Amino acid sequence: DGGITQSPKYLFRKEGQNVTLSCEQNLNHDAMYWYRQDPGQGLRLIYYSQIVNDFQKGDIAEGYSVSREKKESFPLTVTSAQKNPTAFYLCASSIGDRVAQKAFFGQGTRLTVV
Amino acid sequence: GESVGLHLPTLSVQEGDNSIINCAYSNSASDYFIWYKQESGKGPQFIIDIRSNMDKRQGQRVTVLLNKTVKHLSLQIAATQPGDSAVYFCADLVTGNQFYFGTGTSLTVIP
């Protein structure tokens, strides 16, 4: 089955530690996205990538980093510089900017920093 | 920043009634719109989409209406069921750019 997979589902980290969230897709999509969702709020864009080896900052990129070395993978690192990292993180992918098509979402990773 | 917003954060409807969820957008260059459903603790699921060259699109029990004159989008759910209880998001896309999401409307279906 084709899809987009995020792991782990729940993640706990101590304050001051970097943590990397995994996102893998086998949909052959060019574009991938990371969103952050806080309770009772909408989705805010952290980073997006339209093609391998290229990515752009979204609205709330500070304290986060990404890489796009492979088409299938778009890992997100939450660094110690992110002041309020506890949140629900969602990864998505879409065909890309050649044509407007829906984005598919993973099931999310809930990160708790203690 | 975000180019979409929602009129109401919460909506309660009686089971069997129709639901209407509204969304406003501000970017006149937006050419593609999507409605997503998000259940608690899960990722958003695609419901229906519409391109800017259309003003109406129907799916199974759902209809999306697009009014480009006033930059307004709505999702109509017919015969609302308890399983429809969730948060609904609209999103817009300017081709070649990124998706922007509204803040969501929480729909509660009363049995």
Side-chain angles (χ1 to χ4, degrees):
Chain A
D1 284 341
I4 182 164
T5 303
Q6 290 186 243
S7 61
K9 188 170 183 178
Y10 299 97
L11 191 54
F12 295 87
R13 279 295 182 270
K14 290 185 178 178
E15 196 172 330
Q17 289 182 335
N18 292 356
V19 60
T20 298
L21 282 59
S22 170
C23 179
E24 303 278 332
Q25 55 97 0
N26 60 4
L27 300 165
N28 199 33
H29 284 171
D30 285 321
M32 297 188 74
Y33 312 82
W34 274 106
Y35 293 90
R36 171 184 171 134
Q37 187 175 34
D38 293 286
Q41 297 193 25
L43 281 64
R44 292 185 290 167
L45 183 67
I46 305 172
Y47 269 98
Y48 68 105
S49 169
Q50 298 283 18
I51 199 167
V52 174
N53 291 323
D54 187 43
F55 48 83
Q56 288 80 41
K57 292 181 179 179
D59 299 322
I60 56 165
E62 186 175 349
Y64 300 98
S65 66
V66 293
S67 63
R68 187 84 188 277
E69 297 176 2
K70 298 187 299 182
K71 189 175 187 178
E72 303 80 19
S73 179
F74 191 40
L76 173 74
T77 296
V78 184
T79 75
S80 57
Q82 168 49 235
K83 290 180 174 30
N84 187 17
T86 295
F88 190 48
Y89 290 88
L90 288 160
C91 180
S93 71
S94 69
I95 288 177
D97 64 357
R98 292 172 287 109
V99 60
Q101 288 285 347
K102 57 184 174 281
F104 293 84
F105 281 85
Q107 289 303 299
T109 292
R110 187 167 300 281
L111 172 65
T112 302
V113 175
V114 297
Chain B
E2 286 184 317
S3 66
V4 292
L6 291 172
H7 291 256
L8 293 172
T10 62
L11 176 67
S12 296
V13 297
Q14 207 72 36
E15 181 178 356
D17 286 353
N18 296 337
S19 303
I20 299 176
I21 300 171
N22 295 304
C23 184
Y25 66 96
S26 58
N27 190 344
S28 57
S30 297
D31 55 10
Y32 179 63
F33 304 87
I34 310 176
W35 281 100
Y36 285 94
K37 173 185 179 183
Q38 186 179 27
E39 296 174 340
S40 182
K42 296 184 178 180
Q45 296 173 280
F46 170 84
I47 302 174
I48 192 166
D49 58 359
I50 189 167
R51 299 191 186 279
S52 58
N53 61 353
M54 304 169 69
D55 53 20
K56 181 179 180 179
R57 191 160 189 223
Q58 288 184 291
Q60 188 177 12
R61 283 200 308 118
V62 294
T63 300
V64 56
L65 299 177
L66 175 63
N67 185 330
K68 293 181 287 294
T69 302
V70 296
K71 297 190 185 71
H72 183 269
L73 191 69
S74 69
L75 177 70
Q76 300 177 4
I77 305 173
T80 313
Q81 302 169 359
D84 294 327
S85 292
V87 176
Y88 290 81
F89 293 97
C90 63
D92 74 328
L93 174 70
V94 176
T95 303
N97 212 316
Q98 65 267 27
F99 288 97
Y100 278 108
F101 287 78
T103 52
T105 290
S106 178
L107 174 66
T108 300
V109 180
I110 304 165

